[in-house]
Amino acid sequence: MASPTSFLSIFLCLVAFLFITVSADPDMLQDLCVADLSSGIKVNGFPCKDAANVTSLDFFSQGIANPGLTNNTFGALVTGANVMTIPGLNTLGVSLARIDYAPGGLNPPHTHPRATEVVYVLEGTLDVGFLTTANRLISQSLKKGDVFAFPRGLVHFQKNNGRVPAAVIAAFNSQLPGTQSLGATLFGSTPPVPDEILSQAFQTTPRIVKNIKSRFQPKK
Ligand SMILES: *[C@@H]1O[C@H](CO)[C@@H](O)[C@H](O)[C@H]1NC(C)=O
Ligand SMILES: *[C@@H]1O[C@H](CO)[C@@H](O)[C@H](O)[C@H]1NC(C)=O
């Protein structure tokens, strides 16, 4: 039988665990820790490169200065400005992205497991929305200069229903927010999710599931 003190320690561990899981990226323990992206060492984030080798370029990017190419299936492109392109963001708990939308373009329903997102509309108009865990749709039409927030982990999307291109700058409270796009995750995974799982989940036939899967072939 467990003693009252071991119950107490289990309780305290659970409380600590909850605090860890409700916070965003961990707090930094030093001024900077520029990611050594080539290191073979695996940690939560990236190991720091030698401080003597840190330069301003580690904190700099021109990667989202210009519109991204939107001539793809969905007519939208997300260009990250995160720790993978700005190694100085390692341990800082923030990043940006630029998203460009052709007329009619859609950033399809997806989630960011590690970050809340705030978008600022650079140009054009967008219809955006997110879904709560109670399956309520919270949606809004945005125009140039508007700001909208998508809470961490909730499924959300942006659609350009206008006649001209649109673009946003997105801010995240994570150095690498991660993205799970529902269509690609469920219908384009490797190895594939079995057809009968998806046909039962979506209350449809394996034939229709196969048809959707054919549109989400994993990129080779
Ligand atoms: C720092 O940079 C120098 C010169 O490029 C290189 O020789 C050295 O290996 C680097 N140190 C580390 C720890 O990466
Ligand atoms: C998109 O446009 C660029 C530049 O015009 C072109 O190089 C590229 O091949 C196009 N991609 C597709 C998928 O059509």
Side-chain angles (χ1 to χ4, degrees), residues 80-187:
N82 54 47
V83 70
M84 303 312 292
T85 51
I86 308 173
L89 287 178
N90 193 40
T91 75
L92 300 189
V94 294
S95 61
L96 296 177
R98 174 191 178 115
I99 315 173
D100 290 284
Y101 313 81
L106 171 70
N107 186 11
H110 63 279
T111 79
H112 302 294
R114 295 184 289 276
T116 287
E117 173 176 359
V118 184
V119 299
Y120 171 83
V121 181
L122 287 177
E123 59 174 339
T125 56
L126 290 167
D127 293 319
V128 308
F130 67 82
L131 293 144
T132 70
T133 56
N135 293 337
R136 177 169 171 213
L137 172 64
I138 305 220
S139 61
Q140 180 73 32
S141 293
L142 305 180
K143 62 181 190 320
K144 181 174 178 169
D146 289 350
V147 170
F148 196 79
F150 304 96
R152 179 161 69 138
L154 298 187
V155 172
H156 60 283
F157 57 85
Q158 301 107 22
K159 163 87 173 167
N160 179 4
N161 283 316
R163 292 194 189 139
V164 296
V168 303
I169 295 294
F172 301 93
N173 60 334
S174 169
Q175 67 179 28
L176 193 60
T179 298
Q180 268 193 313
S181 197
L182 300 189
T185 291
L186 289 170
F187 295 92

Side-chain angles (χ1 to χ4, degrees), residues 69-72:
L69 291 175
T70 55
N71 55 344
N72 52 45

